[in-house]
């Protein structure tokens, strides 16, 4: 069974030196330039999602960082039936 991923197309401009270097890297890995660039971008996006989004959320929405008061803790435990 094959999974289809939603994709988007975007034309980008890169310098000739970058193109040459990436082409050599792709050839040394036994893949084509397009697939290698897509793979690199996927890894960068995953890393961003794992680190930067969490950092942004902590900075912008810090509500989860505050300790619960004793009353909040007691109310929560009562709600759980603990």
């Amino acid at each position: 069974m094959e999974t289809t991923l939603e994709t988007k197309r975007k034309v980008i401009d890169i310098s000739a030196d970058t193109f040459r270097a990436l082409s050599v890297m792709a050839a040394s890995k036994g893949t084509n330039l397009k697939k290698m660039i897509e793979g690199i971008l996927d890894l960068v996006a995953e890393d961003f999602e794992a680190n930067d989004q969490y950092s942004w959320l902590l900075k912008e929405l810090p509500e989860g960082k505050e300790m619960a008061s004793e009353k909040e803790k007691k109310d929560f435990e009562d709600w759980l039936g603990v």
Side-chain angles (χ1 to χ4, degrees):
M1 178 184 347
E2 209 173 295
T3 306
T4 358
L5 298 175
E6 181 183 349
T7 60
K8 302 284 183 185
R9 289 187 158 278
K10 182 69 179 172
V11 176
I12 61 169
D13 296 319
I14 57 176
S15 72
D17 289 340
T18 300
F19 179 83
R20 199 170 17 263
L22 291 174
S23 295
V24 170
M25 287 171 61
S28 71
K29 293 177 185 273
T31 188
N32 67 43
L33 180 59
K34 179 180 179 286
K35 286 187 183 203
M36 190 187 81
I37 291 173
E38 290 169 346
I40 290 170
L41 292 175
D42 287 343
L43 290 173
V44 169
E46 287 173 15
D47 187 48
F48 173 77
E49 289 173 3
N51 296 320
D52 294 338
Q53 285 183 357
Y54 182 69
S55 297
W56 181 87
L57 285 170
L58 286 178
K59 180 180 161 198
E60 298 297 321
L61 305 170
E63 63 193 35
K65 291 173 51 178
E66 297 173 16
M67 295 294 289
S69 69
E70 286 302 316
K71 181 181 180 333
E72 290 172 320
K73 182 179 174 184
K74 175 77 172 106
D75 290 345
F76 184 67
E77 288 173 344
D78 290 344
W79 178 78
L80 287 175
V82 178

